Coordinates of all heavy atoms in Angstrom, one line a residue:
M1 N 71.9 102.8 121.4 CA 73.2 103.4 120.8 C 74.0 104.0 122.0 O 73.5 104.7 122.9 CB 72.8 104.5 119.8 CG 74.0 105.2 119.3 SD 73.9 106.5 118.1 CE 72.1 106.8 118.0
L2 N 75.3 103.7 121.9 CA 76.2 104.3 122.9 C 76.4 105.8 122.7 O 76.3 106.3 121.5 CB 77.6 103.6 122.8 CG 77.7 102.2 123.2 CD1 79.1 101.6 122.9 CD2 77.4 102.0 124.6
R3 N 76.6 106.5 123.7 CA 77.1 107.9 123.6 C 78.5 107.9 124.2 O 78.7 107.4 125.4 CB 76.1 108.8 124.4 CG 74.7 108.8 123.9 CD 74.5 109.8 122.9 NE 74.6 111.2 123.5 CZ 74.7 112.3 122.7 NH1 74.8 112.1 121.4 NH2 74.8 113.4 123.3
I4 N 79.4 108.3 123.5 CA 80.8 108.2 123.8 C 81.4 109.6 124.0 O 81.2 110.5 123.2 CB 81.6 107.5 122.7 CG1 81.0 106.0 122.6 CG2 83.1 107.4 123.2 CD1 81.6 105.2 121.5
H5 N 82.1 109.8 125.1 CA 82.8 111.1 125.3 C 84.2 111.0 124.7 O 85.0 110.2 125.1 CB 82.9 111.3 126.8 CG 83.7 112.6 127.2 ND1 85.0 112.6 127.5 CD2 83.2 113.9 127.2 CE1 85.4 113.9 127.7 NE2 84.3 114.7 127.5
C6 N 84.5 111.9 123.8 CA 85.8 112.0 123.2 C 86.7 112.8 124.0 O 86.3 114.0 124.3 CB 85.7 112.6 121.7 SG 87.4 112.7 121.0
P7 N 87.8 112.3 124.5 CA 88.7 113.1 125.4 C 89.4 114.3 124.7 O 89.9 115.1 125.4 CB 89.7 112.0 126.0 CG 89.7 111.0 124.9 CD 88.3 111.0 124.3
Y8 N 89.4 114.2 123.4 CA 90.0 115.3 122.7 C 89.0 116.4 122.3 O 89.2 117.6 122.5 CB 90.7 114.8 121.3 CG 91.8 113.8 121.7 CD1 91.6 112.5 121.4 CD2 93.0 114.2 122.3 CE1 92.5 111.5 121.6 CE2 93.9 113.3 122.6 CZ 93.7 111.9 122.3 OH 94.7 111.0 122.6
C9 N 87.9 116.0 121.8 CA 86.8 117.0 121.4 C 86.1 117.5 122.7 O 85.5 118.6 122.6 CB 85.7 116.4 120.5 SG 86.4 115.8 118.9
Q10 N 86.2 116.7 123.8 CA 85.5 117.1 125.0 C 84.0 117.2 124.8 O 83.4 118.2 125.4 CB 86.1 118.4 125.6 CG 87.5 118.3 126.1 CD 87.5 117.3 127.4 OE1 86.8 117.4 128.2 NE2 88.5 116.5 127.3
E11 N 83.5 116.3 124.0 CA 82.0 116.3 123.8 C 81.5 114.8 123.9 O 82.2 113.9 123.5 CB 81.7 116.8 122.4 CG 82.0 118.2 122.2 CD 81.6 118.6 120.7 OE1 80.7 118.0 120.1 OE2 82.2 119.6 120.3
L12 N 80.2 114.7 124.3 CA 79.6 113.4 124.3 C 78.9 113.3 122.9 O 78.0 114.1 122.6 CB 78.5 113.4 125.3 CG 78.0 112.0 125.8 CD1 79.1 111.1 126.3 CD2 76.9 112.3 126.9
R13 N 79.3 112.2 122.1 CA 78.8 112.1 120.7 C 78.2 110.7 120.5 O 78.5 109.8 121.2 CB 80.0 112.3 119.8 CG 80.7 113.6 119.9 CD 79.9 114.8 119.6 NE 79.5 114.8 118.2 CZ 78.7 115.7 117.6 NH1 78.2 116.7 118.3 NH2 78.4 115.7 116.4
D14 N 77.5 110.5 119.4 CA 76.8 109.3 119.1 C 77.8 108.2 118.5 O 78.8 108.6 117.8 CB 75.7 109.4 118.1 CG 74.5 110.3 118.7 OD1 74.4 110.3 119.9 OD2 73.8 110.7 117.8
E15 N 77.6 107.0 118.9 CA 78.5 105.9 118.5 C 78.8 105.8 117.0 O 80.0 105.4 116.7 CB 77.9 104.5 119.0 CG 78.7 103.3 118.6 CD 78.0 102.0 119.0 OE1 76.9 102.1 119.6 OE2 78.6 101.0 118.7
P16 N 77.8 106.1 116.1 CA 78.2 106.0 114.7 C 79.4 106.8 114.2 O 79.9 106.7 113.1 CB 76.9 106.3 113.9 CG 75.9 106.0 114.9 CD 76.4 106.3 116.3
E17 N 79.7 107.8 115.0 CA 80.9 108.7 114.7 C 82.2 108.0 115.0 O 83.3 108.5 114.6 CB 80.9 110.0 115.5 CG 79.8 110.9 115.1 CD 79.9 112.3 115.8 OE1 81.0 112.5 116.4 OE2 79.0 113.0 115.7
F18 N 82.1 106.9 115.7 CA 83.4 106.2 116.1 C 83.5 104.8 115.6 O 82.6 104.2 115.1 CB 83.3 106.0 117.7 CG 83.2 107.3 118.5 CD1 81.9 107.9 118.7 CD2 84.3 108.0 118.9 CE1 81.8 109.1 119.3 CE2 84.2 109.1 119.6 CZ 83.0 109.7 119.9
H19 N 84.8 104.3 115.6 CA 85.1 102.9 115.2 C 85.8 102.3 116.4 O 86.7 102.8 117.0 CB 85.9 102.8 114.0 CG 85.4 103.3 112.8 ND1 84.3 102.7 112.2 CD2 85.7 104.4 112.0 CE1 83.9 103.3 111.1 NE2 84.8 104.3 111.0
Y20 N 85.3 101.0 116.7 CA 86.0 100.2 117.7 C 87.3 99.7 117.1 O 87.3 99.2 116.0 CB 85.1 99.1 118.1 CG 85.7 98.0 119.0 CD1 86.0 98.4 120.4 CD2 86.1 96.8 118.6 CE1 86.6 97.4 121.2 CE2 86.7 95.9 119.4 CZ 86.9 96.2 120.7 OH 87.5 95.3 121.5
C21 N 88.4 99.7 117.8 CA 89.7 99.3 117.3 C 90.4 98.2 118.1 O 91.5 98.0 118.0 CB 90.6 100.5 117.2 SG 90.0 101.7 116.0
G22 N 89.6 97.5 119.0 CA 90.2 96.4 119.7 C 90.7 96.8 121.0 O 90.5 97.8 121.6
E23 N 91.4 95.8 121.5 CA 92.0 95.9 122.9 C 93.0 97.1 123.1 O 93.8 97.3 122.2 CB 92.7 94.6 123.4 CG 93.1 94.5 124.8 CD 93.7 93.2 125.1 OE1 93.5 92.2 124.4 OE2 94.5 93.1 126.1
A24 N 92.9 97.8 124.2 CA 93.9 98.9 124.4 C 95.1 98.4 125.2 O 95.2 97.3 125.7 CB 93.2 100.0 125.2
H25 N 96.1 99.2 125.1 CA 97.4 99.0 125.9 C 98.1 97.8 125.5 O 98.7 97.1 126.3 CB 97.1 98.9 127.4 CG 96.4 100.2 128.0 ND1 97.1 101.4 128.0 CD2 95.1 100.4 128.3 CE1 96.2 102.3 128.5 NE2 95.1 101.7 128.6
L26 N 98.1 97.4 124.2 CA 98.9 96.3 123.7 C 100.3 96.8 123.5 O 100.6 97.8 122.8 CB 98.4 95.8 122.4 CG 97.0 95.1 122.5 CD1 96.5 94.7 121.1 CD2 97.1 93.9 123.4
A27 N 101.3 96.1 124.0 CA 102.7 96.5 123.9 C 103.4 95.7 122.9 O 103.4 94.5 123.0 CB 103.4 96.4 125.2
R28 N 103.9 96.4 121.8 CA 104.6 95.6 120.8 C 105.9 95.1 121.4 O 106.6 95.8 122.2 CB 105.0 96.6 119.7 CG 105.7 96.0 118.5 CD 106.0 97.1 117.4 NE 106.8 96.6 116.4 CZ 106.4 96.0 115.2 NH1 105.1 95.9 115.0 NH2 107.2 95.6 114.4
P29 N 106.3 93.9 121.1 CA 107.6 93.4 121.6 C 108.7 94.3 121.2 O 108.9 94.7 120.1 CB 107.7 92.0 121.0 CG 106.3 91.6 120.6 CD 105.6 92.9 120.3
E30 N 109.7 94.5 122.2 CA 110.8 95.4 121.9 C 111.8 94.9 120.8 O 112.4 95.6 120.1 CB 111.5 95.7 123.2 CG 110.7 96.6 124.1 CD 111.6 97.0 125.3 OE1 112.8 97.1 125.2 OE2 110.9 97.4 126.3
D31 N 111.8 93.6 120.7 CA 112.7 93.0 119.7 C 111.9 91.9 118.9 O 112.0 90.7 119.2 CB 113.9 92.3 120.3 CG 114.9 91.7 119.3 OD1 114.8 92.0 118.2 OD2 115.7 90.8 119.8
P32 N 111.1 92.4 117.9 CA 110.3 91.4 117.1 C 111.1 90.3 116.5 O 110.6 89.1 116.5 CB 109.6 92.3 116.1 CG 109.6 93.7 116.7 CD 110.9 93.7 117.5
A33 N 112.3 90.6 116.0 CA 113.1 89.6 115.4 C 113.5 88.5 116.4 O 113.9 87.4 116.0 CB 114.3 90.2 114.7
G34 N 113.6 88.9 117.7 CA 114.0 88.0 118.7 C 112.9 87.1 119.2 O 113.1 86.2 120.1
C35 N 111.7 87.3 118.9 CA 110.5 86.6 119.3 C 110.4 85.2 118.6 O 110.8 85.1 117.5 CB 109.2 87.3 119.0 SG 108.9 88.8 119.9
S36 N 110.0 84.2 119.4 CA 109.7 83.0 118.8 C 108.4 83.2 117.9 O 107.7 84.2 118.1 CB 109.4 81.9 119.8 OG 108.3 82.2 120.5
D37 N 108.1 82.2 117.1 CA 106.9 82.3 116.3 C 105.6 82.3 117.2 O 104.7 83.0 117.0 CB 106.8 81.1 115.3 CG 107.7 81.2 114.2 OD1 108.3 82.3 114.0 OD2 108.0 80.2 113.5
A38 N 105.7 81.5 118.3 CA 104.6 81.5 119.2 C 104.4 82.9 119.9 O 103.2 83.3 120.1 CB 104.8 80.4 120.3
E39 N 105.5 83.5 120.3 CA 105.4 84.8 121.0 C 104.9 85.9 120.0 O 104.0 86.7 120.4 CB 106.8 85.3 121.5 CG 107.3 84.4 122.7 CD 108.7 84.7 123.0 OE1 109.5 85.1 122.1 OE2 109.1 84.5 124.2
W40 N 105.3 85.9 118.8 CA 104.9 86.8 117.8 C 103.4 86.6 117.4 O 102.6 87.5 117.3 CB 105.8 86.7 116.6 CG 105.5 87.9 115.6 CD1 105.0 87.7 114.3 CD2 105.7 89.3 115.8 NE1 104.9 88.9 113.7 CE2 105.3 89.9 114.6 CE3 106.1 90.0 116.8 CZ2 105.3 91.3 114.5 CZ3 106.1 91.4 116.7 CH2 105.7 92.0 115.5
G41 N 103.1 85.3 117.3 CA 101.7 85.0 117.0 C 100.8 85.4 118.1 O 99.7 85.9 117.8
T42 N 101.2 85.2 119.3 CA 100.4 85.6 120.5 C 100.2 87.2 120.5 O 99.0 87.7 120.6 CB 101.1 85.2 121.8 OG1 101.1 83.8 121.8 CG2 100.2 85.7 123.0
Y43 N 101.2 87.9 120.2 CA 101.1 89.4 120.1 C 100.2 89.7 119.0 O 99.3 90.7 119.1 CB 102.5 90.0 119.9 CG 102.4 91.4 119.4 CD1 102.0 92.4 120.3 CD2 102.7 91.8 118.1 CE1 101.9 93.7 119.8 CE2 102.6 93.1 117.7 CZ 102.2 94.1 118.6 OH 102.1 95.4 118.1
L44 N 100.3 89.1 117.8 CA 99.5 89.5 116.6 C 98.0 89.1 116.8 O 97.1 89.9 116.4 CB 100.0 88.9 115.4 CG 101.3 89.5 114.8 CD1 101.7 88.7 113.6 CD2 101.2 91.0 114.6
Y45 N 97.7 88.0 117.3 CA 96.3 87.4 117.1 C 95.5 87.2 118.4 O 94.4 87.1 118.4 CB 96.4 86.1 116.4 CG 97.0 86.3 115.0 CD1 98.3 85.7 114.7 CD2 96.4 87.0 114.0 CE1 98.8 85.9 113.5 CE2 96.9 87.2 112.8 CZ 98.1 86.6 112.5 OH 98.7 86.8 111.3
F46 N 96.2 87.1 119.6 CA 95.4 86.8 120.8 C 95.1 88.0 121.6 O 95.9 88.8 121.9 CB 96.2 85.8 121.6 CG 96.3 84.3 121.0 CD1 97.3 84.1 120.1 CD2 95.4 83.4 121.4 CE1 97.3 82.8 119.5 CE2 95.4 82.2 120.8 CZ 96.3 81.9 119.9
R47 N 93.8 88.1 121.8 CA 93.3 89.3 122.6 C 92.4 88.8 123.7 O 91.8 87.7 123.7 CB 92.5 90.2 121.7 CG 93.3 90.7 120.5 CD 94.3 91.7 121.0 NE 95.0 92.3 119.9 CZ 96.3 91.9 119.5 NH1 96.9 90.9 120.1 NH2 96.8 92.5 118.5
R48 N 92.4 89.6 124.8 CA 91.4 89.3 125.8 C 90.0 89.5 125.3 O 89.7 90.4 124.5 CB 91.6 90.3 127.0 CG 93.0 90.1 127.7 CD 93.1 91.1 128.9 NE 94.4 91.0 129.4 CZ 95.2 92.0 129.7 NH1 94.7 93.3 129.6 NH2 96.4 91.9 130.2
N49 N 89.1 88.8 125.9 CA 87.7 88.9 125.5 C 86.9 88.7 126.8 O 86.1 87.7 127.0 CB 87.3 87.8 124.5 CG 85.9 88.0 124.0 OD1 85.4 89.1 124.1 ND2 85.3 86.9 123.4
P50 N 87.0 89.7 127.7 CA 86.4 89.5 129.0 C 84.9 89.7 129.0 O 84.4 90.4 128.2 CB 87.1 90.6 129.9 CG 87.4 91.7 128.9 CD 87.7 90.9 127.6
R51 N 84.3 89.0 130.0 CA 82.9 89.3 130.2 C 82.9 90.3 131.4 O 83.2 90.0 132.5 CB 82.2 88.0 130.7 CG 80.7 88.3 131.0 CD 80.1 86.9 131.4 NE 78.8 87.1 132.0 CZ 77.7 87.3 131.4 NH1 77.7 87.3 130.1 NH2 76.6 87.5 132.1
G52 N 82.6 91.6 131.1 CA 82.7 92.6 132.1 C 83.6 93.7 131.7 O 83.7 94.1 130.5
R53 N 84.3 94.3 132.6 CA 85.1 95.4 132.4 C 86.3 95.2 131.4 O 87.0 94.2 131.6 CB 85.8 95.9 133.8 CG 86.2 97.2 133.9 CD 86.4 97.5 135.4 NE 86.8 98.9 135.5 CZ 88.1 99.2 135.6 NH1 89.0 98.3 135.7 NH2 88.5 100.5 135.8
H54 N 86.4 96.1 130.4 CA 87.4 95.9 129.3 C 87.9 97.2 128.9 O 87.3 98.2 128.8 CB 86.7 95.2 128.2 CG 87.6 94.8 127.0 ND1 88.8 94.2 127.3 CD2 87.4 94.8 125.7 CE1 89.4 93.9 126.1 NE2 88.5 94.3 125.1
H55 N 89.3 97.2 128.6 CA 90.0 98.4 128.2 C 90.1 98.3 126.6 O 90.6 97.4 126.1 CB 91.4 98.5 128.8 CG 91.3 98.7 130.2 ND1 91.1 97.7 131.1 CD2 91.5 99.8 131.0 CE1 91.1 98.1 132.4 NE2 91.4 99.4 132.3
E56 N 89.5 99.3 126.0 CA 89.4 99.3 124.5 C 90.0 100.5 123.9 O 90.0 101.6 124.5 CB 87.9 99.2 124.1 CG 87.1 98.0 124.7 CD 85.7 98.1 124.6 OE1 85.1 99.3 124.4 OE2 85.0 97.0 124.5
M57 N 90.4 100.4 122.7 CA 90.8 101.5 121.9 C 89.7 101.9 120.8 O 89.2 101.0 120.2 CB 92.1 101.2 121.1 CG 92.7 102.4 120.4 SD 94.4 102.1 119.8 CE 94.2 100.7 118.7
W58 N 89.4 103.1 120.7 CA 88.4 103.6 119.8 C 89.0 104.8 118.9 O 89.9 105.4 119.3 CB 87.1 104.2 120.5 CG 86.3 103.0 121.1 CD1 86.6 102.3 122.2 CD2 85.0 102.6 120.6 NE1 85.5 101.4 122.4 CE2 84.5 101.6 121.5 CE3 84.2 103.0 119.6 CZ2 83.3 101.0 121.3 CZ3 82.9 102.4 119.4 CH2 82.6 101.4 120.3
Y59 N 88.4 105.0 117.8 CA 88.7 106.0 116.9 C 87.6 107.0 116.6 O 86.5 106.5 116.2 CB 89.2 105.3 115.5 CG 89.7 106.3 114.4 CD1 90.7 107.1 114.6 CD2 89.0 106.2 113.2 CE1 91.1 107.9 113.6 CE2 89.4 107.0 112.1 CZ 90.5 107.9 112.3 OH 90.9 108.7 111.3
H60 N 87.8 108.2 116.7 CA 86.8 109.2 116.4 C 86.8 109.6 114.9 O 87.3 110.6 114.6 CB 86.9 110.5 117.3 CG 85.7 111.3 117.4 ND1 85.6 112.4 118.1 CD2 84.5 111.1 116.8 CE1 84.4 113.0 118.0 NE2 83.7 112.2 117.2
A61 N 86.2 108.7 114.1 CA 86.3 108.8 112.7 C 85.6 110.1 112.0 O 86.1 110.7 111.1 CB 85.8 107.6 112.0
A62 N 84.5 110.4 112.6 CA 83.7 111.5 112.1 C 83.9 112.7 112.9 O 83.1 113.7 112.8 CB 82.2 111.1 112.0
G63 N 84.9 112.8 113.7 CA 85.2 113.9 114.5 C 86.6 114.4 114.4 O 87.1 114.7 113.3
C64 N 87.4 114.3 115.4 CA 88.8 114.8 115.4 C 89.7 113.7 114.8 O 90.9 114.1 114.5 CB 89.2 115.0 116.9 SG 89.1 113.5 117.9
R65 N 89.2 112.6 114.4 CA 90.1 111.5 113.7 C 91.3 111.1 114.6 O 92.4 111.0 114.1 CB 90.5 112.0 112.4 CG 89.2 112.3 111.6 CD 89.6 112.6 110.1 NE 90.0 111.5 109.5 CZ 90.1 111.3 108.2 NH1 89.8 112.3 107.4 NH2 90.5 110.2 107.6
R66 N 91.1 111.0 115.9 CA 92.2 110.6 116.8 C 91.7 109.3 117.6 O 90.6 109.1 117.7 CB 92.5 111.7 117.8 CG 93.0 113.0 117.1 CD 93.2 114.1 118.1 NE 94.5 113.8 118.8 CZ 95.0 114.6 119.6 NH1 94.4 115.8 119.9 NH2 96.1 114.3 120.2
F67 N 92.8 108.6 118.0 CA 92.5 107.4 118.8 C 92.5 107.7 120.2 O 93.2 108.7 120.7 CB 93.6 106.4 118.5 CG 93.6 105.8 117.1 CD1 94.3 106.3 116.1 CD2 92.9 104.6 116.9 CE1 94.3 105.8 114.8 CE2 92.9 104.0 115.6 CZ 93.5 104.6 114.6
F68 N 91.7 107.0 121.0 CA 91.7 107.2 122.4 C 91.2 105.9 123.1 O 90.9 104.9 122.4 CB 90.7 108.3 122.8 CG 89.3 108.2 122.4 CD1 88.4 107.6 123.3 CD2 88.9 108.4 121.2 CE1 87.1 107.5 123.0 CE2 87.6 108.3 120.8 CZ 86.7 107.8 121.7
N69 N 91.3 105.8 124.4 CA 90.9 104.6 125.1 C 89.6 104.7 125.9 O 89.2 105.8 126.3 CB 92.1 104.2 126.1 CG 93.3 103.9 125.4 OD1 93.4 103.2 124.4 ND2 94.5 104.4 125.9
V70 N 89.0 103.6 126.0 CA 87.7 103.5 126.7 C 87.7 102.4 127.7 O 88.2 101.3 127.4 CB 86.5 103.3 125.7 CG1 85.2 103.1 126.4 CG2 86.4 104.5 124.8
V71 N 87.2 102.6 128.9 CA 86.9 101.5 129.9 C 85.4 101.2 129.8 O 84.7 102.1 130.2 CB 87.4 101.8 131.3 CG1 87.1 100.6 132.2 CG2 88.9 102.1 131.3
R72 N 85.0 100.0 129.3 CA 83.6 99.7 129.0 C 83.3 98.3 129.6 O 84.1 97.4 129.5 CB 83.3 99.8 127.6 CG 81.9 99.6 127.2 CD 81.7 99.7 125.7 NE 82.3 98.7 124.9 CZ 81.8 97.5 124.6 NH1 80.5 97.2 124.9 NH2 82.4 96.5 123.9
D73 N 82.1 98.2 130.1 CA 81.6 96.9 130.5 C 81.0 96.2 129.4 O 80.0 96.7 128.8 CB 80.6 97.1 131.7 CG 80.3 95.8 132.4 OD1 79.8 94.8 131.7 OD2 80.4 95.6 133.6
T74 N 81.5 95.0 129.0 CA 81.0 94.3 127.8 C 79.6 93.7 128.1 O 79.0 93.2 127.1 CB 81.9 93.3 127.4 OG1 82.1 92.3 128.4 CG2 83.3 93.9 127.0
V75 N 79.1 93.6 129.3 CA 77.9 93.1 129.6 C 76.8 94.2 129.6 O 75.7 94.0 128.9 CB 77.8 92.3 131.0 CG1 76.5 91.8 131.3 CG2 78.9 91.2 130.9
T76 N 77.1 95.2 130.3 CA 76.1 96.4 130.4 C 76.3 97.4 129.4 O 75.4 98.3 129.2 CB 76.1 97.0 131.8 OG1 77.4 97.6 131.9 CG2 76.0 96.0 132.9
Y77 N 77.3 97.4 128.7 CA 77.7 98.5 127.7 C 78.0 99.8 128.4 O 78.2 100.8 127.8 CB 76.7 98.7 126.6 CG 76.6 97.5 125.7 CD1 75.8 96.4 125.9 CD2 77.4 97.4 124.6 CE1 75.8 95.3 125.1 CE2 77.4 96.3 123.7 CZ 76.5 95.3 124.0 OH 76.5 94.1 123.2
N78 N 78.0 99.9 129.8 CA 78.3 101.1 130.5 C 79.7 101.5 130.2 O 80.6 100.7 130.4 CB 78.0 100.9 131.9 CG 78.3 102.2 132.7 OD1 77.8 103.2 132.4 ND2 79.2 102.1 133.7
I79 N 79.9 102.8 129.8 CA 81.2 103.3 129.7 C 81.6 104.0 130.9 O 81.0 105.0 131.4 CB 81.3 104.3 128.4 CG1 81.1 103.5 127.2 CG2 82.7 105.0 128.4 CD1 81.1 104.3 125.9
E80 N 82.7 103.5 131.6 CA 83.1 104.0 132.9 C 84.0 105.3 132.6 O 83.8 106.2 133.4 CB 84.1 102.9 133.5 CG 84.6 103.3 134.8 CD 85.5 102.2 135.3 OE1 85.0 101.0 135.4 OE2 86.6 102.4 135.7
Q81 N 84.8 105.3 131.6 CA 85.6 106.5 131.4 C 86.3 106.4 130.1 O 86.4 105.3 129.5 CB 86.7 106.6 132.5 CG 87.7 105.4 132.6 CD 88.7 105.6 133.7 OE1 89.5 106.5 133.7 NE2 88.7 104.8 134.7
T82 N 86.7 107.5 129.5 CA 87.5 107.6 128.3 C 88.8 108.4 128.7 O 88.7 109.3 129.5 CB 86.8 108.3 127.2 OG1 86.4 109.6 127.5 CG2 85.5 107.5 126.9
Y83 N 89.9 108.2 128.0 CA 91.1 108.9 128.2 C 92.0 108.9 127.0 O 91.8 108.0 126.1 CB 91.8 108.4 129.5 CG 92.0 106.9 129.5 CD1 93.3 106.4 129.1 CD2 91.0 106.0 129.8 CE1 93.5 105.0 129.1 CE2 91.2 104.6 129.8 CZ 92.4 104.1 129.5 OH 92.7 102.8 129.4
A84 N 92.9 109.8 126.9 CA 93.8 110.0 125.8 C 94.8 108.8 125.6 O 95.1 108.2 126.6 CB 94.5 111.3 125.9
M85 N 95.2 108.7 124.4 CA 96.3 107.6 124.1 C 97.5 108.1 125.0 O 97.8 109.2 125.1 CB 96.7 107.7 122.6 CG 95.5 107.2 121.7 SD 95.0 105.5 122.1 CE 96.4 104.6 121.6
G86 N 98.2 107.1 125.4 CA 99.4 107.3 126.2 C 99.1 107.6 127.7 O 100.0 107.6 128.5
A87 N 97.9 107.8 128.0 CA 97.5 108.0 129.4 C 97.0 106.6 130.0 O 96.8 105.7 129.3 CB 96.4 109.0 129.5
Q88 N 96.9 106.6 131.3 CA 96.4 105.5 132.1 C 95.0 105.8 132.6 O 94.8 107.0 132.9 CB 97.3 105.0 133.2 CG 98.6 104.5 132.7 CD 98.5 103.2 132.0 OE1 97.8 102.3 132.4 NE2 99.2 103.1 130.9
P89 N 94.1 104.9 132.8 CA 92.8 105.2 133.3 C 92.9 105.7 134.7 O 93.8 105.2 135.5 CB 92.1 103.9 133.2 CG 93.1 102.8 133.1 CD 94.3 103.4 132.4
A90 N 92.0 106.6 135.1 CA 92.0 107.1 136.5 C 91.4 106.1 137.4 O 90.5 105.4 137.0 CB 91.1 108.4 136.5
H91 N 91.9 106.0 138.6 CA 91.4 105.2 139.7 C 91.2 103.8 139.1 O 90.0 103.2 139.2 CB 90.1 105.8 140.2 CG 90.1 107.2 140.5 ND1 90.9 107.7 141.5 CD2 89.6 108.3 139.9 CE1 90.8 109.0 141.5 NE2 89.9 109.4 140.6
D92 N 92.2 103.1 138.7 CA 92.1 101.8 138.1 C 93.0 100.8 138.7 O 94.1 100.5 138.1 CB 92.3 102.0 136.6 CG 91.9 100.7 135.8 OD1 91.2 99.9 136.4 OD2 92.3 100.6 134.7
E93 N 92.8 100.3 139.9 CA 93.7 99.3 140.5 C 93.7 98.0 139.8 O 94.7 97.3 139.8 CB 93.2 99.0 141.9 CG 93.3 100.2 142.9 CD 91.9 100.8 143.0 OE1 90.9 100.2 142.9 OE2 91.8 102.1 143.3
A94 N 92.7 97.7 139.0 CA 92.6 96.4 138.3 C 93.5 96.3 137.0 O 93.8 95.3 136.5 CB 91.2 96.0 137.9
H95 N 93.8 97.5 136.5 CA 94.6 97.5 135.2 C 96.1 97.4 135.5 O 96.6 98.1 136.4 CB 94.3 98.9 134.5 CG 95.0 98.9 133.2 ND1 94.7 98.1 132.1 CD2 96.1 99.6 132.8 CE1 95.4 98.4 131.1 NE2 96.3 99.3 131.5
E96 N 96.7 96.5 134.8 CA 98.2 96.3 135.0 C 99.0 97.1 134.0 O 98.6 97.4 133.0 CB 98.6 94.8 134.9 CG 98.3 94.2 133.6 CD 96.9 93.5 133.5 OE1 95.9 94.2 133.3 OE2 96.9 92.3 133.7
Ligands
ZN1 ZN1 87.1 113.6 119.0

């Protein structure tokens, strides 16, 4: 079982308290009506599925009920860091 540090509660808690919510840092198109069907479809349905380091959004459902971000390795399940929504990961040259 994963142990996840919630950046709001400032506690290391068990995974069943959380829900995985998909890829982090997805930017909604500024003008959705101006998007082509392909652009809108890409935004809605296409996600990265890397083998290795991944930026994810999680929800602390049985705790503070807030969303936050996690940098996790999808192979080893090692959690590198967690950080609040709206923030960027610390020491992260690979993240654009
Ligand atoms: Zn929390």
Side-chain angles (χ1 to χ4, degrees):
M1 175 181 6
L2 290 174
R3 298 272 292 164
I4 301 172
H5 177 266
C6 175
Y8 299 109
C9 298
Q10 292 295 316
E11 291 182 28
L12 196 61
R13 306 293 297 178
D14 292 340
E15 180 186 353
E17 290 189 9
F18 299 87
H19 292 296
Y20 173 73
C21 300
E23 184 178 343
H25 303 288
L26 293 176
R28 182 182 172 90
E30 289 190 24
D31 180 18
C35 289
S36 68
D37 287 347
E39 290 169 334
W40 188 244
T42 297
Y43 164 70
L44 287 179
Y45 300 112
F46 287 84
R47 299 293 181 259
R48 293 184 188 132
N49 187 23
R51 177 178 167 81
R53 200 164 179 267
H54 188 39
H55 296 76
E56 305 170 332
M57 184 168 62
W58 286 73
Y59 177 62
H60 196 179
C64 60
R65 304 184 70 164
R66 297 178 76 178
F67 290 89
F68 61 97
N69 296 316
V70 173
V71 178
R72 183 177 67 91
D73 189 304
T74 60
V75 176
T76 65
Y77 292 88
N78 179 54
I79 293 176
E80 181 183 307
Q81 60 181 297
T82 62
Y83 53 99
M85 295 300 292
Q88 293 294 316
H91 313 293
D92 192 14
E93 296 99 27
H95 183 68
E96 62 265 82

